[in-house]
Amino acid sequence: MEKVTLSVSGMSCGHCERAVKGALEGLNGVHHVTVYLQEGKVDVEFDATKVDIAVLKQAIEEQGYDVA
Amino acid sequence: MEKVTLSVSGMSCGHCERAVKGALEGLNGVHHVTVYLQEGKVDVEFDATKVDIAVLKQAIEEQGYDVA
């Protein structure tokens, strides 16, 4: 299991938090997601044999947020 | 038909806009809702024989936003 902290801009409310969290949790290989709304950070625990960071970033961006 | 402009604080993104708009449009007697996200304003056209401003305010507050 790996863990990455992504910097995500544009998350402004609880709806945003749920949109990002839900998109990531829907990916095969993602085990746990914690969104820090105020800090603009998302912690993701994932199985690197099933999913990679590029896919995580894409899922966030598809929800309309930018990943640093 | 009457029209009121409500000042709503806490709407920060498109999800907020849709939550407020959807809650108001679900009320009997509400005909048209326009949300101005940047300005924190919501215009509501409604039939005053079916719904009143107190009910409009309550619907917004139930979504988690404050009405001035």
Side-chain angles (χ1 to χ4, degrees), chain B residues 10-66:
Chain B
M11 295 187 301
S12 55
C13 73
H15 296 111
C16 296
E17 177 177 339
R18 289 192 288 280
V20 168
K21 186 173 166 72
L24 290 169
E25 288 178 344
L27 297 173
N28 186 36
V30 170
H31 290 266
H32 194 70
V33 178
T34 307
V35 176
Y36 301 95
L37 200 56
Q38 299 299 323
E39 295 83 356
K41 303 281 185 187
V42 180
D43 282 352
V44 186
E45 287 179 28
F46 64 100
D47 181 341
T49 67
K50 294 184 180 169
V51 67
D52 62 22
I53 291 176
V55 173
L56 301 179
K57 288 183 175 178
Q58 186 183 351
I60 295 171
E61 288 167 351
E62 283 174 354
Q63 295 298 314
Y65 306 96
D66 292 324

Side-chain angles (χ1 to χ4, degrees), chain A residues 1-63:
Chain A
M1 192 83 73
E2 298 203 18
K3 186 170 178 177
V4 65
T5 299
L6 301 169
S7 291
V8 181
S9 60
M11 296 188 301
S12 55
C13 73
H15 296 111
C16 297
E17 178 177 338
R18 289 192 289 280
V20 169
K21 186 174 166 71
L24 291 169
E25 288 179 342
L27 297 173
N28 185 37
V30 170
H31 290 266
H32 193 71
V33 178
T34 307
V35 177
Y36 302 95
L37 199 56
Q38 300 299 322
E39 295 82 357
K41 303 280 185 188
V42 180
D43 281 352
V44 186
E45 287 179 28
F46 63 100
D47 181 340
T49 67
K50 294 184 180 169
V51 67
D52 62 23
I53 291 177
V55 173
L56 301 179
K57 289 184 176 180
Q58 185 183 353
I60 295 171
E61 289 168 350
E62 283 174 354
Q63 295 299 315

